[in-house]
Amino acid sequence: MLRLAIARIHRYYLPPVLSNKTADITCTSQIRKGNFLRSSNFGNHQSYLTIYFIKLIFSKKGRLLGEIDLNLFFATWFLPIFSDLRKLQAIVLLIIGLLLTIVIALAHGAVPLSAIQVWQALLHQGNPTHQTIIWDLRLPRILAALVVGAALGMSGALLQGMLRNGLADPFVLGISAGAGLVAIAFLTLGILQAWIPLAAWVGAVITAALVYLLGYTGSGISTERLILGGVAFSSLFGAVQATLLLMAEDGRVQAALNWLIGSLNGRGWTELNAVAPYIAIALLIGCSFGRLINVLNLGDELAVGLGISTGRSRLLIGAIATLLTASAVSMTGLIGFVGLVVPHGVRLLAGTDYRWVLPLSAIAGAWVLTFADLLARLGTVELPVGAVTALLGSPLFIWLLYRRSHPSP
């Protein structure tokens, strides 16, 4: 007689982020105990494993003749396939969504264009007016949304992974507040208007440096001190910004508010050429930090035991995140929720391996900001893209928090 015995043993939580090597060791150790692991991740920094005991049992008249353990077969062949399939699905979904959004954004606006007209304009053929609309207005704006969205998405993922805090984003460390203070000062005082992007970039970098100095201790950089320092600088700079706005002339207040909310209106090739090269280099460097962040998320003690300098690593990761945020903010102003929500959605789709989370966060951030800018341009009155991201991001983030506090069984 042949029968299949399957018994559910128990369910437990793993550490927040596991590298492939650690996951392999975990599976191997459980297989040796006669357990089969079924893993699942819901994008909430935690994975759970449901352990099963699976064997083929041969018996005759109630007497055990032999048994075959199927755990090794399932864990060796099926688990890697399902894991890779999940990441492949996330990549395909994000790329298809991004391409469709770009095509729709090129065609829709104050002057709607057909697909044929868009194609002809891209090839510098057809109506000269359509060529001007595509090449001088819509295409640079879409590329700016792609670049800024990618920078904010990866910056948020880097900060959340470095600080091991799902609520971390460029606003937490005061990076955006520093850029905003300098820009608001220039706008309300009416000085050096042409230098606002560069001044905002410098303000963000200086603020990040001050926060890191405040977070430095004798043994390295303290995560708690970093977060508290960022919150303190954000509150201080916010109060100064409010004071400047109250004292400014009415005509300058509107320009300052538009910059605080964040907008892609009027962004052209000049702004794109000035910022895009730095963001592209920072994105490439940021993608190389995936394995390092995986190790940091296992805990400082284990990371140090593996030969990782946690202080130097956090300083390097924070520097790249600062460069991404400062470059993005200098082009478009303060755009919220992209760096906060996008990494959560990516972890929900592809898991918590930061070798995948970082590049996918860049793609997802580009998609989210391009889609938000498309929605901002659809109405009779164009909205600031920062207001649209806040309207979209707030309910989505509430839902993600609910999923985190109520994981599926």
Side-chain angles (χ1 to χ4, degrees), residues 41 43 255 278 315 391:
N41 179 274
Y278 302 101
L315 183 62
L391 290 173

Side-chain angles (χ1 to χ4, degrees), residues 39-56:
S39 64
S40 182
N41 179 274
F42 292 93
N44 55 8
H45 283 284
Q46 285 186 323
S47 299
Y48 72 82
L49 298 180
T50 306
I51 304 179
Y52 289 86
F53 180 79
I54 304 180
K55 288 185 177 181
L56 283 177

Side-chain angles (χ1 to χ4, degrees), residues 143-157:
L143 291 177
L146 294 175
V147 170
V148 172
L152 293 176
M154 180 173 286
S155 177

Side-chain angles (χ1 to χ4, degrees), residues 89-349:
Q89 289 174 341
I91 294 172
V92 172
L93 173 64
L94 292 176
I95 292 178
I96 291 178
L98 179 61
L99 293 177
L100 287 177
T101 304
I102 292 174
V103 172
I104 296 174
L106 285 172
H108 287 268
V111 180
L113 302 176
S114 65
I116 296 177
Q117 291 173 332
V118 170
W119 180 252
Q120 289 178 343
L122 289 174
L123 297 178
H124 295 284
Q125 299 175 359
N127 193 324
T129 303
H130 296 167
Q131 297 180 37
T132 302
I133 292 173
I134 293 296
W135 282 99
D136 295 341
L137 299 177
R138 294 183 186 175
L139 187 58
R141 180 167 178 161
I142 291 172
L143 291 177
L146 294 175
V147 170
V148 172
L152 293 176
M154 180 173 286
S155 177
L158 286 171
L159 293 175
Q160 290 179 13
M162 178 188 71
L163 300 176
R164 292 197 298 247
N165 190 332
L167 298 179
D169 75 334
F171 286 87
V172 171
L173 294 186
I175 303 173
S176 299
L181 174 61
V182 176
I184 295 304
F186 280 32
L187 287 169
T188 54
L189 298 176
I191 58 174
L192 302 175
Q193 302 288 305
W195 293 91
I196 288 178
L198 178 60
W201 187 88
V202 173
V205 172
I206 293 176
T207 303
L210 293 175
V211 171
Y212 268 88
L213 286 176
L214 190 61
Y216 181 78
T217 61
S219 58
I221 295 177
S222 171
T223 301
E224 292 78 9
R225 289 172 64 93
L226 273 180
I227 295 176
L228 292 176
V231 172
F233 275 105
S234 296
S235 300
L236 174 62
F237 292 164
V240 177
Q241 289 175 20
T243 303
L244 291 174
L245 289 173
L246 288 174
M247 298 173 59
E249 299 177 1
D250 293 341
R252 295 172 180 173
V253 171
Q254 185 62 42
L257 289 177
N258 286 335
W259 201 93
L260 279 178
I261 298 175
S263 175
L264 289 167
N265 187 26
R267 302 307 185 269
W269 295 108
T270 302
E271 294 83 1
L272 195 62
N273 292 332
V275 174
Y278 302 101
I279 292 180
I281 294 173
L283 288 174
L284 292 176
I285 298 175
C287 287
S288 66
F289 291 151
R291 188 178 297 275
L292 177 60
I293 295 179
N294 282 343
V295 176
L296 290 176
N297 276 271
L298 293 175
D300 288 354
E301 293 182 0
L302 181 56
V304 171
L306 294 174
I308 301 296
S309 174
T310 56
R312 189 182 301 117
S313 299
R314 289 196 174 99
L315 183 62
L316 184 59
I317 294 171
I320 296 301
T322 300
L323 177 59
L324 289 170
T325 304
S327 301
V329 168
S330 67
M331 184 190 297
T332 61
L334 306 183
I335 297 178
F337 278 96
V338 176
L340 179 63
V341 176
V342 164
H344 285 275
V346 170
R347 284 190 291 267
L348 183 67
L349 291 174

